[in-house]
Amino acid sequence: MKKLLQKIVGKSPWLYRINAGSCNGCDVELATTACIPRFDVERLGCKYCGSPKHADIVLITGPLTVRVKDKVLRVYDEIPDPKVTVAIGICPISAGVFRDSYAIAGPIDSFIPVDVNVPGCPPRPQAIIDGILEAIKIWETRM
Amino acid sequence: MSSFLKIALRNLLKGPSTDPYPFGETFVPKGLRGKIKYNAKACIACGMCEHVCAGGAIQIKETADKSGLEFIVWHNTCAFCGLCEHYCPTKAIRLTEDFHTAHSQEDKYRYVERGFIKYVTCARCATPMVPIAPELMTLAYGQVNKDIEKLRHLCPKCRQKQSLR
Ligand code: SF4
Ligand code: SF4
Ligand code: SF4
């Protein structure tokens, strides 16, 4: 296990975050994994980047509202292949408590191929780290 | 300046504050609301949880062969709000402290908590009915004596007749 984790840590995918109309709850948890030393996602070799063109793993939050749909899809298309998509929170996975609202175009997997789901409202930072680990494993097979 | 040095020194002595997870054990705060657990034995199929569920995660449906009720919680739309546990009269549904929810896309629709309530038949008229959980008996009667225990095996109609006699 340790060897495997070391191998994973040795490689360094860059993370990119898309907010598809989230309530910000999940984004706060994502910020927690990155900015707070207690959870420090950079131990996994990951790093948040500011441009979609630098991204390897994309973390999507929010139920994909009608208003942001086109912009989200445009940004998503700018991320170079191969990429791994992780849906964070119940919003992108099933639209959660907003399901069936006139303002929601999601769930996200009807527009974007998703690889890993991390449900929760919001999920714990540790659960997000689990999801990122799973994404890194998928990413290694795609490189 | 000296107070800053004090803090720096204290932090140096305290060691890293990073949670070792996923390389080691993590902590779980008491009362964390995590994945739902369902106990079909205590459930009376009142439907309250399905009614109050904020995320629409719960479904109680009669099976195709009409042998009982199927209970499904889809974790992928559960908001961990805890309403189901709060309103469940027998606490058959509750939130655990399990937060490990990451799973791959293939499992999206398989990521559920399931339960099955098998119908029993009324001791008098043999109508199929939802079994009455012992949790409900203690809730309704406190002390359950022999006479009351008999009511437990009757369907609502026969129970009414029996109690009015
Ligand atoms: S899953 Fe919950 S916390 Fe996350 S964006 Fe949706 S409503 Fe907000
Ligand atoms: S915790 Fe809330 S959202 Fe989840 S099953 Fe219970 S009532 Fe539904
Ligand atoms: S889990 Fe509780 S609230 Fe839901 S149907 Fe069963 S007894 Fe009623």
Side-chain angles (χ1 to χ4, degrees):
Chain A
M1 188 66 192
K2 205 174 161 203
K3 249 192 188 158
L4 179 75
L5 282 176
Q6 273 168 345
K7 208 176 113 202
I8 293 168
V9 173
K11 312 200 171 167
S12 323
W14 282 22
L15 308 175
Y16 182 69
R17 196 173 62 70
I18 297 179
N19 179 334
S22 123
C23 79
N24 271 359
C26 288
D27 300 86
V28 169
E29 297 301 324
L30 283 180
T32 308
T33 59
C35 307
I36 295 188
R38 176 175 261 178
F39 303 116
D40 194 14
V41 76
E42 294 187 6
R43 284 174 305 150
L44 310 176
C46 303
K47 181 179 150 65
Y48 277 91
C49 61
S51 162
K53 297 208 165 106
H54 299 160
D56 303 304
I57 294 175
V58 50
L59 310 167
I60 304 187
T61 59
L64 194 67
T65 54
V66 171
R67 195 173 172 83
V68 297
K69 186 186 129 201
D70 292 339
K71 297 175 183 86
V72 166
L73 297 183
R74 212 169 69 213
V75 172
Y76 185 81
D77 279 340
E78 285 191 19
I79 303 169
D81 286 323
K83 56 194 165 205
V84 179
T85 313
V86 185
I88 303 284
I90 57 171
C91 273
I93 304 172
S94 64
V97 293
F98 304 114
R99 194 165 56 242
D100 299 334
S101 157
Y102 64 90
I104 303 298
I108 223 111
D109 64 353
S110 41
F111 299 93
I112 288 172
V114 172
D115 299 296
V116 180
N117 293 310
V118 188
C121 187
R124 261 193 116 191
Q126 284 92 333
I128 294 177
I129 287 175
D130 279 345
I132 293 176
L133 266 180
E134 215 167 294
I136 293 173
K137 274 187 211 142
I138 296 173
W139 187 63
E140 280 191 333
T141 63
R142 290 205 183 150
M143 268 190 309
Chain B
M1 187 63 190
S2 75
S3 72
F4 167 74
L5 279 179
K6 238 191 255 165
I7 293 169
L9 198 68
R10 199 178 59 212
N11 285 353
L12 211 64
L13 292 176
K14 234 170 47 185
S17 66
T18 308
D19 182 29
Y21 194 81
F23 305 101
E25 284 298 304
T26 185
F27 65 99
V28 179
K30 212 174 165 312
L32 178 96
R33 299 205 300 266
K35 270 166 78 175
I36 295 282
K37 187 100 189 90
Y38 171 70
N39 173 12
K41 289 219 169 65
C43 177
I44 53 168
C46 64
M48 189 47 109
C49 52
E50 189 182 18
H51 178 68
V52 298
C53 180
I58 300 172
Q59 192 187 55
I60 307 170
K61 230 174 48 185
E62 192 168 59
T63 51
D65 61 357
K66 297 209 188 309
S67 65
L69 297 171
E70 187 170 37
F71 190 102
I72 300 174
V73 184
W74 189 31
H75 295 304
N76 272 333
T77 186
C78 168
F80 300 160
C81 65
L83 283 177
C84 50
E85 178 178 330
H86 180 79
Y87 285 105
C88 178
T90 57
K91 298 292 168 249
I93 191 165
R94 53 186 191 82
L95 284 82
T96 61
E97 289 181 348
D98 177 12
F99 61 86
H100 299 280
T101 52
H103 61 279
S104 63
Q105 172 73 5
E106 295 99 74
D107 293 330
K108 178 175 171 180
Y109 294 104
R110 287 197 287 261
Y111 202 58
V112 292
E113 167 83 5
R114 255 174 220 285
F116 178 64
I117 310 170
K118 196 169 165 41
Y119 287 148
V120 292
T121 48
C122 170
R124 196 164 293 165
C125 68
T127 320
M129 63 172 202
V130 174
I132 293 162
E135 282 84 350
L136 182 68
M137 297 299 279
T138 41
L139 197 71
Y141 297 105
Q143 289 276 315
V144 181
N145 62 28
K146 253 193 190 152
D147 285 344
I148 295 172
E149 181 63 25
K150 265 188 209 148
L151 290 178
R152 209 179 128 186
H153 305 288
L154 300 180
C155 72
K157 265 194 186 148
C158 297
R159 209 181 307 152
Q160 198 178 24
K161 275 188 209 152
Q162 173 76 17
S163 344
L164 287 178
R165 243 190 358 198

